[in-house]
Amino acid sequence: MDTDGGMEPQIEWDDFRRVDIRAGRILHAEPLPKARKPAYALTIDFGPLGKKHSSAQITELYAPEELAGRLVLAVVNFPPKRIAGFVSEVLVLGLDSQADVGGTSVSLVGPDHDVAPGARLY
């Protein structure tokens, strides 16, 4: 990941197509107590792909109760990763932004209109 504000090297269309990004609807969110950094354990419905779980460090901008029903975009073809005893199956996408108190906060990325869970980003 480029953190200095510059662009990553150019990629080919086939490189982009290998990243499977889908819309999912958050069904449930709860704190992940064993995580080193504050995070939520999310259960997300991806329609025909089924329900998947994700660990997301989004606690600065979101409360668990406001996440249910929200549409998000996630990479669904990464291998599962164990985080604080929790298996994260997908990577929920977000953007870093500066918080008012000087830290980093993550703003979720998702469609601004209703789409079917499992819809693919092209």
Side-chain angles (χ1 to χ4, degrees), residues 39-115:
Y40 295 137
L42 306 177
T43 302
I44 307 169
D45 176 18
F46 288 97
L49 301 179
K51 294 177 186 172
K52 306 284 184 186
H53 297 99
S54 184
S55 168
Q57 294 176 357
I58 56 173
T59 60
E60 288 188 37
L61 294 181
Y62 303 97
E65 60 274 7
E66 69 185 272
L67 291 169
R70 184 183 185 98
L71 283 168
V72 294
L73 293 179
V75 176
V76 298
N77 64 333
F78 279 147
K81 182 175 183 179
R82 184 170 290 282
I83 300 169
F86 176 81
V87 177
S88 187
E89 301 171 286
V90 299
L91 175 66
V92 174
L93 301 178
L95 300 169
D96 287 336
S97 61
Q98 293 299 323
D100 290 340
V101 293
T104 300
S105 56
V106 176
S107 179
L108 291 169
V109 174
D112 58 359
H113 297 286
D114 197 34
V115 298

